[in-house]
Amino acid sequence: MLKRLMAIPLLLSATALAQPLEVLHWWTSAGEHAAADILRQQLTHAQVEWQDYAVPGGGGDSAMAVLKARVIAGQHPGAAQIIGPNIRLWARLGYLQPLDDWSTAWPGERYATLETLTHADGVRTAVPVSIHRINWMWLNPALFQQYNLPLPTSWSQVFQAAEVFQAAGIVPLAHGAQAWQTATLFETLLLSVGGPEFYRAYFVDLDPNALHDVRVAEALSLLRRLKGIMDPQNQNREWQEASQMVINGDAAMQIMGDWVKGEFTAQHKLPGKDYLCMPVPGTAQNHLYSADTFVFFRSNKADTQRAQAAFAHTVLDEETQRRFSLAKGTIPARADIKLEGFDDCSQTSAHVFREAEQAGLLAPSMAHSMATSPGVESAIFDTLHRFFRDDSIPIEITQLRLAQILSALSDHE
Ligand code: BGC
């Protein structure tokens, strides 16, 4: 009894001290929500109260539009999920809190790639959370077994299996034809067809030879062929609805980043049993990545700054890193964290990430804001979306349009 009585004032004081911090992000699916909730829980230990400002919409386009509107109205949040080179734009506009003073106390080691991503003009401006691998294919193993089909490691095996599934009334490839999902698929195909050097020449170096290379046409043509093994009801389908089709056995495969694994984990599904992760054909040694990061909006309030500093520190805490990544499907942003207890998909992702980073062959995701600027990204989305929806648009015209965007817009941003 005495113990219980003593516990109450302690709890009250912890709650009374908690400093609210509004966090804008786009983690709204079941798996994403479970992962965000881990951050929220961990922050309570640091007396920070996570005030949720979630903007639905995979890939974060809507979240970024809302963030801009809020900042214009003078109502910026305390923390926001901003990722990729976009961080630099926000920092240059003077909105973001520099983190160099706080980061001296941050625990652990970080990958060189994340160090680059989280610095803007030499100043540390963001805290990394975790790393996604995008070039994954998610499979329903029971369906492959039932129809006695090999697990596909080549595109021809994918199309052979698709024929059997289609005849049986099963959707071979689940897809949500939102612009960002189609762009995610396209960049994966470009990596598959061209390899990481070519991918980087195209999306990072904007090499004119790469922009006009025949491999771009091959990737576009593969995108059209894959459309033929999707169901026509895919317009505006959310990515997690497509994942659900795979887990329900209504569809056999989905190509998407490993946030899909977070979705399956939230339903207590197990890799190797209820679903399989396989690299997209031709990309087993490659890592098409996106890394989630948070930034903090400048504030002159000491309480807010304290909460922001505690937030950054908590994100990098070992327990937070592990629990978050297990729920989200990612690998930790901290390079020193051992992956015991993580499944094979994550182990593979970590291994391939390290190897590719060392070889200078990581492929930064264009569709998930790692490679270009927001203006370039939305123009590419628009072009690919039209191409995907309208079969009469010629491949050559689309390739030319993409080349124009990448070369012309990039000069100006
Ligand atoms: C983010 C992931 C998120 C995914 C789908 C990506 O851009 O990096 O954290 O789960 O979009 O919303």
Side-chain angles (χ1 to χ4, degrees):
M1 182 63 179
L2 183 63
K3 221 171 158 192
R4 270 184 63 197
L5 281 177
M6 283 179 69
I8 292 168
L10 272 181
L11 275 179
L12 282 179
S13 65
T15 323
L17 277 175
Q19 172 67 31
L21 189 71
E22 196 186 18
V23 188
L24 184 146
H25 62 95
W26 64 90
W27 291 331
T28 51
S29 75
E32 292 173 334
H33 183 77
D37 201 50
I38 285 165
L39 292 185
R40 185 192 61 74
Q41 287 165 24
Q42 295 289 99
L43 282 167
T44 59
H45 305 314
Q47 274 79 50
V48 178
E49 185 202 330
W50 168 294
Q51 285 195 337
D52 202 46
Y53 196 94
V55 183
D61 300 340
S62 313
M64 286 306 98
V66 170
L67 179 63
K68 270 185 221 152
R70 284 194 48 173
V71 170
I72 290 167
Q75 292 168 353
H76 51 72
Q81 180 187 10
I82 300 186
I83 63 176
N86 200 10
I87 297 171
R88 194 168 57 231
L89 298 183
W90 283 95
R92 285 185 181 164
L93 292 171
Y95 288 114
L96 305 185
Q97 169 71 41
L99 306 181
D100 285 312
D101 288 349
W102 302 347
S103 68
T104 50
W106 287 358
E109 292 159 29
R110 278 165 297 282
Y111 295 99
T113 307
L114 298 195
E115 286 295 274
T116 308
L117 268 178
T118 51
H119 281 77
D121 301 319
V123 178
R124 190 183 295 278
T125 320
V127 61
V129 190
S130 64
I131 305 167
H132 278 293
R133 187 184 191 208
I134 296 178
N135 49 314
W136 281 120
M137 198 160 59
W138 306 94
L139 268 61
N140 180 313
L143 287 178
F144 279 85
Q145 210 173 12
Q146 184 181 346
Y147 293 94
N148 206 12
L149 292 162
L151 299 173
T153 55
S154 65
W155 289 114
S156 58
Q157 283 179 329
V158 167
F159 287 109
Q160 276 157 20
E163 236 177 79
V164 176
F165 288 131
Q166 246 161 356
I170 294 158
V171 177
L173 187 65
H175 182 64
Q178 297 170 332
W180 75 269
Q181 293 190 58
T182 299
T184 304
L185 180 56
F186 171 72
E187 67 181 14
T188 315
L189 302 181
L190 194 78
L191 178 66
S192 166
V193 168
E197 284 101 341
F198 179 70
Y199 180 97
R200 292 182 64 91
Y202 188 79
F203 276 131
V204 182
D205 306 331
L206 315 169
D207 172 351
N209 291 328
L211 298 182
H212 298 285
D213 194 283
V214 67
R215 285 169 280 188
V216 182
E218 280 168 30
L220 287 167
S221 147
L222 187 52
L223 180 63
R224 252 194 195 144
R225 275 189 78 197
L226 287 174
K227 182 180 171 188
I229 62 167
M230 298 169 184
D231 61 323
Q233 289 82 39
N234 60 14
Q235 280 180 30
N236 264 325
R237 178 185 288 147
E238 300 292 340
W239 63 269
Q240 63 270 33
E241 291 167 359
S243 309
Q244 199 59 45
M245 289 168 68
V246 174
I247 214 77
N248 290 350
D250 298 328
M253 302 174 267
Q254 179 186 15
I255 293 174
M256 186 49 74
D258 47 17
W259 41 89
V260 167
K261 189 153 69 82
E263 216 50 27
F264 294 157
T265 305
Q267 297 181 36
H268 309 289
K269 304 290 180 197
L270 296 175
K273 180 174 168 273
D274 305 310
Y275 67 91
L276 301 177
C277 60
M278 305 225 355
V280 164
T283 70
Q285 309 307 323
N286 311 141
H287 203 294
L288 177 62
Y289 73 91
S290 81
D292 281 314
T293 46
F294 278 104
V295 299
F296 305 98
F297 279 81
R298 279 184 195 270
S299 163
N300 47 21
K301 293 194 190 120
D303 284 349
T304 303
Q305 284 196 16
R306 188 195 60 74
Q308 291 173 326
F311 184 112
H313 200 274
T314 303
V315 160
L316 289 169
D317 163 77
E318 176 155 5
E319 190 187 329
T320 312
Q321 285 275 302
R322 287 184 65 85
R323 291 184 60 204
F324 179 87
S325 269
L326 284 168
K328 187 74 166 65
T330 37
I331 54 168
R334 267 178 60 177
D336 59 322
I337 290 183
K338 301 271 175 291
L339 294 188
E340 277 117 36
F342 281 71
D343 59 36
D344 287 352
C345 315
S346 296
Q347 306 275 358
T348 304
S349 170
H351 174 72
V352 178
F353 187 87
R354 273 175 207 277
E355 302 262 300
E357 182 176 72
Q358 262 168 24
L361 291 177
L362 278 172
S365 164
M366 176 281 299
H368 295 272
S369 316
M370 297 291 119
T372 61
S373 56
V376 173
E377 197 180 304
S378 54
I380 295 177
F381 278 20
D382 182 45
T383 304
L384 289 171
H385 192 48
R386 281 167 205 259
F387 171 79
F388 185 79
R389 290 177 70 146
D390 182 351
D391 292 339
S392 72
I393 300 179
I395 287 178
E396 312 81 70
I397 301 285
T398 303
Q399 173 163 10
L400 200 60
R401 173 89 188 109
L402 291 173
Q404 282 168 343
I405 296 166
L406 282 163
S407 48
L409 284 179
S410 300
D411 289 345
H412 292 94
E413 292 202 15

